[in-house]
Amino acid sequence: MTRKRRSLIALLLTSAGLLITPLAQADIVLSGTRIIYKGDQKDVTLRMENKGPRPLLVQTWIDTGSENADPSAIAVPFTVTPPVSRVDAKRGQTVKVTWTGSQKLPDDRESLFWFNALEVPPKMSDAEAKNKNILQLAFRTRIKLFYRPVNLKGNASDAPKQLTWRLQLSGGKLALLATNPTPFHVSFSELKLVSGGKKYDVNAHMVAPKGNSEMTVKGLSAAPSGAIVEYSAINDFGGAIDGKAKL
């Protein structure tokens, strides 16, 4: 699963004592780990659920891959409505992503964007904050949004097995080079190089359509013979597509 969270931390410490807080986590849970926007769809929807005990303000937007970009300065061919939502505790909110056609995208392959949900908890009242050490967190969740044009050849679920693999040295380290001849992005949750009964972890990356990606093999400095690649790719629904491939 491809998912990133950034914490914007504000600390209010009293003059005495140490800050002790349980491990924090996001309260907003999205209904999927990725969004597939097909070119013949008018719009797609995504459900946000507030699993926490307090209402939250949630800002949503789409970016082109730069996670630090100012949302107000990003130009994308989509709108998200509503852009800001109040989501009560244990309740949900549906947001709609709509294609505007304001930019020309390739029609022979998928295009990648990112959907963002930033949750900001309400400010504690003076009475709640009195004589307390407070840690307030604003979490951001990012998931991939794939724009998939109509009439692409093949099927996204078949794309992982069509990748070709080879070993090469890169900067003195052994790396796998994956080449993707398909029009679909291929993302991995796990990737290993298997040789001589041993499995070596690979620093897996997503492979863009009609592109390639170099991935470092951990703990291996020389190219073995008879090695194979074992992978677990991610399908449109966040599930696994397991397979093996020869080099």
Side-chain angles (χ1 to χ4, degrees), residues 144-215:
K144 295 171 183 173
L145 186 160
F146 298 105
Y147 178 77
R148 182 173 297 167
V150 295
N151 301 322
L152 290 184
K153 293 182 179 181
N155 191 302
S157 62
D158 294 329
K161 65 183 179 184
Q162 296 184 49
L163 267 62
T164 58
W165 304 84
R166 68 182 177 92
L167 278 170
Q168 62 183 31
L169 283 175
S170 177
K173 296 182 179 180
L174 199 64
L176 275 173
L177 181 69
T179 300
N180 180 5
T182 79
F184 305 98
H185 290 81
V186 178
S187 301
F188 297 99
S189 59
E190 188 174 43
L191 192 61
K192 294 183 182 294
L193 183 69
V194 184
S195 176
K198 295 183 178 180
K199 295 186 177 183
Y200 301 90
D201 291 332
V202 179
N203 186 21
H205 302 299
M206 181 181 66
V207 189
K210 303 182 185 299
N212 55 63
S213 182
E214 189 178 79
M215 314 177 199

Side-chain angles (χ1 to χ4, degrees), residues 53-90:
R54 307 182 71 184
L56 296 168
L57 192 66
V58 183
Q59 180 185 6
T60 52
W61 73 94
I62 294 171
D63 70 62
T64 58
S66 178
E67 58 184 302
N68 295 319
D70 181 352
S72 64
I74 300 172
V76 293
F78 300 95
T79 59
V80 183
T81 52
V84 178
S85 308
R86 173 191 164 98
V87 186
D88 290 330
K90 311 303 180 182

Side-chain angles (χ1 to χ4, degrees), residues 21-42:
T21 181
L23 182 64
Q25 62 183 15
D27 287 330
I28 291 294
V29 177
L30 304 181
S31 59
T33 62
R34 60 204 52 239
I35 299 172
I36 309 297
Y37 199 119
K38 298 179 182 180
D40 57 356
Q41 290 179 287
K42 181 180 179 181

Side-chain angles (χ1 to χ4, degrees), residues 225-241:
S225 59
I228 65 171
V229 176
E230 288 186 354
Y231 62 80
S232 184
I234 304 172
N235 66 20
D236 285 354
F237 310 99
I241 303 174

